[in-house]
Amino acid sequence: MVGEPDPNLSDDALLVLYANGDGRAVQELTMRLSPRCFGVAMRVLGNRAEAEDITQEAMMRLWRMAPNWQPGQAQVSTWLYRVAMNLCIDLKRRQRGGYVDLDAVPEPADTSRSASEQMQEGARHDALQVALMQLPERQRQAVVLRHIEELPNPEIAGIMDISVEAVESLTARGKRALAAILAGRREELGYSDG
Amino acid sequence: MMADTDKAMQELDDLFASARQNPVPLPDHLATAIMNDALVARSEERVPQQEPENRRQVHFGIWRQLMVAIGGLPALGGMAAACVVGVWVGLAPPSFLPDPAQLVGYSDSTSVPYDSYDLASVLGEEVQ
């Protein structure tokens, strides 16, 4: 590698560079897009190994699609999220009754907090993941994309191939369901009344 | 009741915020595998572009091998000349050969008893 590409380049531009044989774009695209794809897959699947497989496959499809990419027509990240979500659905369809891998839930990285605070933070992450896994597949996807990835509803609609109204409905119902699931664990998670 | 719902939603928003602040780190081995895949995909992309050229080379290779097997251009010239002479002899035969145009519709089955029945009769007569 001769040098790093301009970090200000858009995903579009980097993908075109990659398609034209510029190997320097590979690392930048990988570091920009893979963590987001992996994070969403982790939250949707609740399993690290599966999330890794989905991320690798989605990125492979991105590399293969690169020569045919038409810049300006869509966001690369939207395309990638869409592929990842569809791969997740396909995987779950094949499995029919996936499980929640609690070991896969990430530990908090901040070491400046006390051990008890970190444990409570970890418990909250676990609780959120367990609650997410109890939602129907599409609700879970919509909630993760909206409330963890903070994507706008129109983009989520594009990723999930549904209307914006359907996204709003899914996220609202999903959020209500999550609140109900977590209501019984308030004290355990350190939320006191009052 | 409304206050409880608001509180539950606020706590849920806190959980989401916490999840956002602690994203799942991408494993190093996965990043490495993804970058390797990028190189593989790029090399795969180049293979189909070379394929027609390779096919053309195979195509030319077969003709070249055939030419060598025949004996090269001089042998091919000889074969062409033989073909022309053959066609010429067929159309305008020398005087000592029958004219093929006159042989059209000619049958010699009556003069030569080659059919099995006639041949058996002739042989039978000779024996007698």
Side-chain angles (χ1 to χ4, degrees):
Chain A
M1 301 213 174
V2 178
E4 297 306 315
D6 184 353
N8 296 320
L9 283 177
S10 66
D11 295 344
D12 254 3
L14 284 170
L15 201 56
V16 171
L17 279 179
Y18 165 73
N20 290 333
D22 190 335
R24 294 172 303 169
V26 170
Q27 189 174 8
E28 184 68 22
L29 279 170
T30 301
M31 291 305 146
R32 274 190 201 182
L33 300 173
S34 302
R36 293 156 73 183
C37 183
F38 179 61
V40 170
M42 273 288 291
R43 287 291 176 194
V44 168
L45 297 170
N47 179 287
R48 177 177 286 274
E50 288 173 359
E52 288 185 12
D53 288 347
I54 294 294
T55 305
Q56 191 170 0
E57 175 61 24
M59 288 299 291
M60 188 59 164
R61 292 188 185 193
L62 177 74
W63 303 135
R64 286 185 172 144
M65 175 278 300
N68 303 319
W69 181 255
Q70 309 230 326
Q73 287 205 344
Q75 284 190 50
V76 178
S77 58
T78 302
W79 184 93
L80 188 66
Y81 277 131
R82 185 174 184 156
V83 169
M85 291 298 96
N86 286 334
L87 288 171
C88 287
I89 289 173
D90 290 346
L91 182 67
K92 284 294 169 195
R93 275 184 188 149
R94 285 200 301 273
Q95 288 177 338
R96 290 288 176 220
Y99 59 94
V100 180
D101 183 1
L102 288 181
D103 292 337
V105 176
E107 294 297 326
D110 186 357
T111 54
S112 64
R113 290 168 296 174
S114 71
S116 63
E117 283 175 330
Q118 286 186 41
M119 282 175 67
Q120 196 165 69
E121 195 68 32
R124 287 177 181 178
H125 287 175
D126 287 354
L128 177 60
Q129 186 62 44
V130 170
L132 278 170
M133 295 310 292
Q134 292 180 49
L135 296 183
E137 184 83 24
R138 300 289 274 172
Q139 268 186 34
R140 182 160 68 246
Q141 287 191 358
V143 167
V144 168
L145 292 171
R146 180 74 190 97
H147 295 292
I148 298 182
E149 292 301 306
E150 291 191 300
L151 299 182
N153 284 344
E155 187 173 352
I156 298 172
I159 291 166
M160 298 182 68
D161 202 19
I162 54 178
S163 67
V164 173
E165 291 75 21
V167 173
E168 289 168 356
S169 172
L170 281 174
T171 50
R173 279 185 287 146
K175 213 175 161 187
R176 280 199 301 273
L178 281 178
I181 293 165
L182 292 166
R185 302 186 63 181
R186 293 187 70 251
E187 283 192 24
E188 180 190 342
L189 299 175
Y191 294 115
S192 57
D193 288 327
Chain B
M1 184 68 185
M2 191 71 179
D4 285 349
T5 306
D6 288 346
K7 193 190 291 180
M9 286 300 176
Q10 183 56 52
E11 288 167 1
L12 186 56
D13 285 337
D14 290 346
L15 281 178
F16 286 140
S18 177
R20 285 195 296 272
Q21 286 162 11
N22 297 280
V24 191
L26 186 73
D28 288 343
H29 68 89
L30 180 57
T32 305
I34 288 169
M35 287 190 272
N36 285 339
D37 283 349
L39 300 177
V40 169
R42 209 171 56 184
S43 60
E44 281 176 357
E45 176 60 26
R46 286 175 180 171
V47 169
Q49 288 173 357
Q50 291 172 353
E51 200 172 30
E53 197 177 330
N54 289 340
R55 259 194 218 136
R56 217 165 28 246
Q57 282 172 357
V58 169
H59 184 68
F60 283 129
I62 288 170
W63 281 110
R64 196 164 291 139
Q65 285 173 18
L66 191 63
M67 282 282 284
V68 171
I70 288 170
L73 272 178
L76 197 66
M79 283 175 65
C83 283
V84 169
V85 169
V87 169
W88 178 255
V89 167
L91 292 174
S95 57
F96 58 86
L97 287 176
D99 185 355
Q102 290 177 356
L103 293 175
V104 174
Y106 175 79
S107 172
D108 59 356
S109 62
T110 53
S111 60
V112 182
Y114 285 132
D115 287 342
S116 59
Y117 176 77
D118 293 340
L119 185 61
S121 306
V122 170
L123 289 174
E125 287 170 4
E126 283 178 358
V127 169
Q128 286 173 3

